[in-house]
Amino acid sequence: MRSRQYGPDLTPPWKKTTPAPEVPAEPDLVVEEVTTGFCGAVIRCEKTAQGPTVTLEDRFGKHRVFPMEPRGFLLEGRVVTLVRPGPLSPRAPQRTASGSVAVPGARARVARAGRIYVEGRHDAELVERVWGNDLRIEGVVVEYLEGIDDLPAIVRSFAPAPDARLGVLVDHLVPGSKESRIAAQVTGEDVLVVGHPYIDVWEAVKPSSVGITAWPRVPRGEDWKTGVCRALGWPENTGAAWQRILGSVRSYKDLEPQLLGRVEELIDFVTAP
């Protein structure tokens, strides 16, 4: 019988596959899939019948699911093998829904004299959803106006000062609009009025996060929120529709940049020394 003992491996070194380092697929880790070139941040890992998968989100908010195959990804230009993160694996700093580094155990700060006003309850709930942790640490209170018509009187009553700045977030702040004319009346050294171009803050939530292709166009003269519900085939209950939309927002990644930048600007303004 022939011996089952084989000689040394004679494969040339340049043909041998070098083992790739294993990297836990922690949330927010940015990698590139080697075959497609898709680059994105890790959203989640899942165990499927075909094996473990990882979901990546690119900078446009597009999601792709990939199998976690050996040597399947590039991390900072280096080939790696993604593995499911274990309970004891080192974790990146935890982040709040706004993307800020979380401060474990931090207590809410005593409220500042400064305030941020938004137009309505939906605006306030959305800001709380994404920036709530940050606002509590900074001691910033958000209130809503129930519309912008009374803003000049509210600003006079508030009496803004260097140690009590007022920031205001306005819907549909575009040149020539009623909102822009009112904003011009109150803007000053200690008052900052900023806004987004959307008719309503609903539109500031990315359609892909809500599960729709786009926000529908509503004919002029028709109640916009009711028209949206009708066009999308939802029950014409705007309160229920809003809860559906708000429930789809998990972090800043679910919001349009035109809103993100304005809220961050207001927080910086009212917390400036």
Side-chain angles (χ1 to χ4, degrees):
M1 295 181 61
R2 288 188 178 181
S3 169
R4 292 185 179 273
Q5 299 296 322
Y6 295 92
D9 185 359
L10 299 179
T11 304
W14 61 86
K15 289 189 177 181
K16 292 183 179 180
T17 301
T18 304
E22 293 186 347
V23 176
E26 300 284 357
D28 295 330
L29 179 72
V30 177
V31 295
E32 178 181 340
E33 203 276 331
V34 294
T35 58
T36 63
F38 186 90
C39 183
V42 172
I43 299 299
R44 60 181 172 274
C45 296
E46 295 178 298
K47 187 177 181 180
T48 70
Q50 290 73 37
T53 64
V54 61
T55 300
L56 304 182
E57 180 184 61
D58 70 7
R59 62 191 182 94
F60 301 108
K62 183 179 180 180
H63 288 194
R64 291 278 298 273
V65 180
F66 298 100
M68 296 170 68
E69 296 180 343
R71 302 176 61 84
F73 299 87
L74 295 176
L75 175 61
E76 297 179 349
R78 186 176 50 135
V79 176
V80 298
T81 297
L82 290 186
V83 296
R84 289 171 60 85
L88 299 179
S89 62
R91 296 188 63 83
Q94 296 298 301
R95 295 190 175 272
T96 67
S98 70
S100 301
V101 176
V103 183
R107 293 185 176 182
R109 177 174 173 167
V110 175
R112 295 173 182 265
R115 291 287 188 274
I116 291 177
Y117 283 172
V118 296
E119 279 205 52
R121 181 170 60 85
H122 292 181
D123 306 69
E125 289 177 346
L126 187 60
V127 169
E128 164 63 25
R129 182 80 166 209
V130 176
W131 289 274
N133 289 335
D134 303 17
L135 293 168
R136 279 183 283 279
I137 289 176
E138 295 289 351
V140 177
V141 175
V142 174
E143 301 181 11
Y144 61 91
L145 303 169
E146 290 288 7
I148 195 177
D149 292 342
D150 296 329
L151 182 60
I154 291 172
V155 172
R156 287 193 298 271
S157 175
F158 185 85
D163 60 347
R165 287 181 159 188
L166 181 61
V168 185
L169 179 69
V170 177
D171 296 342
H172 199 229
L173 188 62
V174 296
S177 66
K178 175 189 75 173
E179 290 81 2
S180 67
R181 292 191 293 272
I182 293 175
Q185 297 177 38
V186 301
T187 299
E189 186 174 346
D190 299 313
V191 182
L192 176 64
V193 181
V194 299
H196 54 74
Y198 307 113
I199 294 174
D200 189 273
V201 77
W202 288 19
E203 280 192 293
V205 180
K206 291 180 178 177
S208 58
S209 297
V210 183
I212 59 178
T213 56
W215 290 104
R217 293 182 178 274
V218 177
R220 185 181 295 273
E222 182 178 348
D223 178 73
W224 188 84
K225 292 176 180 176
T226 303
V228 166
C229 293
R230 186 176 299 129
L232 294 175
W234 295 355
E236 293 182 21
N237 181 331
T238 58
W242 170 242
Q243 291 306 312
R244 176 175 183 169
I245 296 165
L246 184 63
S248 70
V249 177
R250 299 176 298 280
S251 76
Y252 72 97
K253 296 178 182 179
D254 296 304
L255 302 182
E256 298 287 0
Q258 290 89 335
L259 176 67
L260 293 173
R262 302 296 74 74
V263 175
E264 297 285 353
E265 188 177 355
L266 290 177
I267 294 174
D268 290 343
F269 179 77
V270 300
T271 58

